[in-house]
Amino acid sequence: MMWHSPKKTKTTLSTFTMSPIWSHMVCRPDRKAVNVQAAAQFNTIRPAVMTITKQSSCQVFCRRFFICILIIAVVVLSSIVYAIYSYASNVADVCHSKECLRSAAAFKQNMDLSVDPCDDFYSYVCGNWADDHPRPERHGAYSWYDERQTKIYRNIRTQLETNISRSDPKPVAQAKSMYKACLSEANRERYGYTAVQRYLREFDLPLTPTLLNRTKTSFRKYKFDWISSVAKIQRKLGLNVIVGFDIEQDHQDKNRNRLTLEYHYRPNELRFPAYEWSKLKTPAHNRRTAQHSSSEDTDESDNESTEDEDEDEDDDADDEDGIDISDLAESFAKIIAAINPSIDTSEMDDKMNILAEQFTEFHRSLPKPLDSEDESKPKYYTVKQLQTLTDTLIKPKKPYPVWQHYLDELFANESDAKPAIDEHLQLTPENVEFLGKLIDVVSEQPPVLIELYIWGTVASFLVEHEFNDARLEEDCAQVVHKLMGLAVSYAIADKSFLEQTKPRIEQMLADIRNEFDQMVLETDWMDAYTKYASLEKSMAMKSLIGFPEWILDVEKLEEHYRGLRISPAHHLENWVTALEFMNMGWLRSWRVKNNKVWDMDPTVVNAYNIFDRNAINIPVAIIQYPFYYLGLDALNYGALGEVLGHELTHGFDNAGRHYDKYGNEKRWWSNHTLQEYDKRARCLEDQYSSYYVQEAKAFINGTLTLGENIADNGGLREAFRAYRAYVRRNGPEEVLPGFDDFTHEQLLFISFGNQYCETVSPAVAKYLVEDEHSPSKFRVLGVLSNMPEFSEAFQCPAGSRMNPKQKCRVW
């Protein structure tokens, strides 16, 4: 039984394998002998077997221990490798492109990190901007927009300074000739005053005002056809003097244009010579007209600042228009001396004061038209009907024929374009009433005073452009840019933009449009009909990005400028000839099918929403640093993306919402939706009206700036949402060098704030609160304080300045 003991099973198996004894044990009959012999043999073998078992156990134990250690080591090492790999996979690479390095360096230079971003984000982003971007003396205000426009002028100047070559299209060669003529100070002095004299005679104006040389008795006998004079001036110079014309879309048929008669009076239209001639020109701030909602051209010139910051603010307040009689008298003396070198005006102070007083009195007497927002829908009038209404408005005076005479002279060289007797002009009833009041006032004035007013306006206009300080290369580049914008654009337009950059901008705009549409669908204050109409308008909105592609076609470019003549020596003649060329093309356009969509030169650092065409213009000039090419799309969406969203939102602001998807001015919002819209708009009005501009010692006008504020707030919100959609589609971006601790959403807000960095002189600040845009600082603070996403990104505590409890939102 012991052989089958479980304790010895293993040993038994070992013995069995080592000896054939089992066969003897089974076969032999003498069991005892066999057992004794087997036991002896077993005892002989057993120690050896037990020794082998102890060695195997040790080896097995060591082997197993080693394997365990090895396994543990492998697991630990694998875990470390996996952790490193996972960390590396989750940490984005640092962007080392030149665009990223430039953006990072600029942000670091501009930012004042000592400022709490939750208290004053504008100062946080732009606090040190002025250190590296000093305001030029001639600029009353200076921003990224001004700096980038100056760069464009430098590029234009570089192109214009090159010699004319055979490969240049004719308009490009003419632009170079115009530039060289502008630079020639000797030719200006030689031909200047004779050219001004020639144009005054052409406009039936004297070389000096008749008021200087006539007696009161002779005033009554003086005859002056002011209607013919202002029509010639309008045709040649494009100046609205007393009356003027415009071309606008037919309000019932957007495929055609209509001629209208009007005169838009603005205080700064009293343009007297800038530079050394006068301080009368209102300081204009060409700041972010990139966000203008109008189709009118803006003055792209440098912001000539003629203010004296130490001057008493009340000194220039002689009347509501800010006209200083003594300055005006001094200007008249200088203008007369420039046109008539033989006249010494140094002893004519009394006479110059009389001219200034009479001019100002006439200017004040002109009626001020209603704001365009208060006008009703246009109606159609023949010239005869308009004249009848005018005569009715000036009764009991006798009829005063004006409109047919004006149009006959205006279209003297374009008889085919002149309205026929039965053709309709397009005017609003309010404009008709205004024109009647205007003629009523003018008909009361002595001809000698009407002549003085026209002479002063036109003579100063001509003298300013012949004898001003525009002898620097950049100044002359601006002159050519204004007069031959598309020819100049030819030099900076290239096919690579069309092939590479434009598709990316279009995709960005598509993302923003999609987010706007989604925001419309998410609103709880719009009814279904208005939502659907809004989505239709958004879908129909045209986008004009970069430049008209046809300008790259030499034949089409030359056809566009066919008939223009440019002299290599006569600056003023070139300037007037180019103005007349543009004005005549404008006059003819009212008979042409309305297919014009580009309303601005591609070289303007600007962007527009054209309400009556339901289109936005994004010129190539604004598609540059710091609005684009910033290295990361987080930065691109924060800057140019906000511009795109801003322009799109203009179509749905307090003015744009009056125009439907075709650009027709009509009501397409329900009463309930309008009430809810106005409620949200009033919140913005109150918010921005509470902002006090210390430099101007005045509050912002929240009503005046409402349209721009709606566009600002909606535009950034759309760009922010569009960037989130971009990340979902493409994955996270690289890290901006030096900004490892910033999220990409924080960088988007920094890029948005950075584009508004600006310096403003105290004397100009007061004009900024009269602009339809809020001052740059408050554009940033106003928008971001309304965005919960901003407060989340920067972890701004509730109730802080950038995270107020009450937030306003329209879109």
Side-chain angles (χ1 to χ4, degrees), residues 24-80:
H24 297 294
M25 289 192 291
V26 174
C27 297
R28 290 184 181 186
D30 190 353
R31 286 182 155 303
K32 184 177 181 180
V34 172
N35 289 341
V36 172
Q37 185 179 0
Q41 189 173 358
F42 176 79
N43 290 333
T44 303
I45 300 171
R46 185 175 179 182
V49 174
M50 293 304 294
T51 302
I52 293 173
T53 302
K54 289 179 179 178
Q55 291 175 353
S56 296
S57 297
C58 182
Q59 291 175 355
V60 168
F61 175 77
C62 292
R63 189 182 305 118
R64 288 178 177 175
F65 179 76
F66 176 76
I67 291 173
C68 288
I69 295 299
L70 184 62
I71 291 173
I72 291 172
V74 170
V75 171
V76 172
L77 289 173
S78 299
S79 299
I80 294 173

Side-chain angles (χ1 to χ4, degrees), residues 211 325 329 349-359 452:
L211 188 62
I325 298 297
D349 291 350
D350 291 342
K351 291 186 176 181
M352 295 302 111
N353 281 325
I354 291 174
L355 292 182
E357 290 170 359
Q358 293 294 325
F359 183 99
L452 170 65

Side-chain angles (χ1 to χ4, degrees), residues 108-355:
K108 287 290 187 182
Q109 287 289 100
N110 297 340
M111 295 174 72
D112 184 352
L113 298 178
S114 66
V115 177
D116 182 356
C118 295
D119 180 61
D120 184 352
F121 192 75
Y122 180 82
S123 297
Y124 176 72
V125 173
C126 299
N128 295 324
W129 189 81
D131 294 342
D132 288 330
H133 306 269
R135 178 175 61 86
E137 185 177 350
R138 66 188 297 182
H139 286 251
Y142 195 62
S143 67
W144 273 120
Y145 288 84
D146 301 305
E147 183 170 300
R148 295 295 95 183
Q149 188 66 71
T150 300
K151 179 190 174 187
I152 293 291
Y153 289 144
R154 284 198 300 267
N155 292 342
I156 292 172
R157 183 191 67 195
T158 300
Q159 295 293 332
L160 294 174
E161 286 176 344
T162 61
N163 294 327
I164 297 174
S165 68
R166 292 183 179 180
S167 61
D168 286 336
K170 183 178 178 181
V172 175
Q174 288 178 316
K176 292 180 179 180
S177 294
M178 182 182 290
Y179 175 74
K180 290 178 174 57
C182 177
L183 286 177
S184 176
E185 183 174 353
N187 284 337
R188 281 188 170 204
E189 294 295 333
R190 183 181 308 154
Y191 304 118
Y193 73 91
T194 56
V196 175
Q197 290 178 347
R198 184 169 69 254
Y199 288 126
L200 288 175
R201 292 190 182 101
E202 186 176 332
F203 301 144
D204 304 321
L205 293 170
L207 302 186
T208 59
T210 302
L211 188 62
L212 283 178
N213 308 313
R214 295 267 181 159
T215 63
K216 290 184 178 181
T217 303
S218 60
F219 287 167
R220 300 188 187 96
K221 299 179 180 179
Y222 180 67
K223 303 294 183 182
F224 175 61
D225 186 354
W226 69 266
I227 300 170
S228 173
S229 180
V230 298
K232 292 176 180 178
I233 293 165
Q234 175 67 257
R235 187 177 68 229
K236 196 111 181 160
L237 304 179
L239 277 181
N240 279 0
V241 186
I242 302 181
V243 297
F245 81 96
D246 199 0
I247 308 293
E248 57 186 29
Q249 285 182 321
D250 189 311
H251 75 286
Q252 292 184 349
D253 181 6
K254 294 301 179 181
N255 291 319
R256 65 162 298 170
N257 291 317
R258 290 281 185 182
L259 183 71
T260 187
L261 297 173
E262 60 185 357
Y263 176 53
H264 285 313
Y265 165 79
R266 302 181 186 89
N268 63 354
E269 272 194 349
L270 186 58
R271 287 176 58 107
F272 271 78
Y275 307 108
E276 76 276 14
W277 292 107
S278 172
K279 296 181 181 180
L280 286 178
K281 185 178 177 182
T282 302
H285 181 215
N286 185 25
R287 61 189 193 80
R288 193 105 188 245
T289 42
Q291 303 294 359
H292 227 357
S293 58
S294 163
S295 62
E296 295 178 2
D297 290 342
T298 57
D299 185 2
E300 291 88 36
S301 64
D302 277 353
N303 306 314
E304 296 92 357
S305 177
T306 56
E307 76 280 356
D308 182 352
E309 296 181 4
D310 296 325
E311 187 176 359
D312 189 339
E313 293 182 3
D314 295 330
D315 287 350
D316 61 352
D318 285 351
D319 63 72
E320 68 274 14
D321 294 318
I323 302 175
D324 187 290
I325 298 297
S326 60
D327 281 348
L328 186 55
E330 183 181 353
S331 290
F332 273 126
K334 291 181 178 179
I335 292 168
I336 291 172
I339 300 173
N340 306 272
S342 60
I343 297 179
D344 182 7
T345 59
S346 61
E347 302 297 327
M348 301 174 65
D349 291 350
D350 291 342
K351 291 186 176 181
M352 295 302 111
N353 281 325
I354 291 174
L355 292 182

